[in-house]
Amino acid sequence: KMGNGGFLGAIEVFSKKAMEMYFDNADDCAKYLGTNSGEDGFFKGCMDAIGAGFMLDAQMFEPNFDPSKCTIASHAAFHPIKYASHWQRCWDLSFNNKCPGSTYDCMGPLDPPLSSLAGAR
């Protein structure tokens, strides 16, 4: 489940108009909203405060530890993939045409194994 109303830090997409509104108000956002949160919290608070609006595209991103999700072409970002071997598997599946028509584990076991990660799905 995505937190912050679906506005999660792995990817944020803004329209040109929203960015123009942000740049016109960036100093006030930093002054009144602070900069103690992550970029997702800061931008969500700022964009809400300046009336930029917000839409959720639930197909663009799904938080998951599993590199097999990198085979889902409708996703624009994959997170949290925090281990080098997992990131490499994601890259290979996404861009190097590894394991076509096969399961994603054709390249061998991951280190650490997915089963050892809290919240892995």
Side-chain angles (χ1 to χ4, degrees):
K1 187 93 178 154
M2 287 189 259
N4 202 11
F7 203 92
L8 193 61
I11 187 167
E12 295 101 18
V13 178
F14 299 100
S15 68
K16 180 179 178 183
K17 178 67 176 168
M19 292 310 299
E20 289 170 350
M21 292 171 68
Y22 168 73
F23 286 120
D24 288 344
N25 295 281
D27 292 339
D28 285 340
C29 283
K31 180 178 176 182
Y32 295 109
L33 299 175
T35 57
N36 294 338
S37 69
E39 87 285 351
D40 51 352
F42 174 78
F43 274 109
K44 176 77 165 77
C46 182
M47 293 299 187
D48 285 348
I50 64 176
F54 170 62
M55 293 172 33
L56 174 64
D57 180 349
Q59 297 304 309
M60 182 178 283
F61 170 71
E62 175 189 343
N64 200 299
F65 290 90
D66 189 348
S68 72
K69 298 296 181 182
C70 298
T71 62
I72 302 173
S74 63
H75 291 197
F78 307 98
H79 175 78
I81 297 182
K82 299 182 182 280
Y83 300 95
S85 66
H86 295 208
W87 188 92
Q88 187 64 55
R89 178 74 49 91
C90 182
W91 178 266
D92 288 341
L93 289 169
S94 298
F95 295 103
N96 293 331
N97 199 28
K98 302 281 182 157
C99 304
S102 178
T103 61
Y104 81 101
D105 59 355
C106 71
M107 292 177 268
L110 289 166
D111 181 28
L114 287 176
S115 61
S116 70
L117 302 177
R121 297 179 239 160

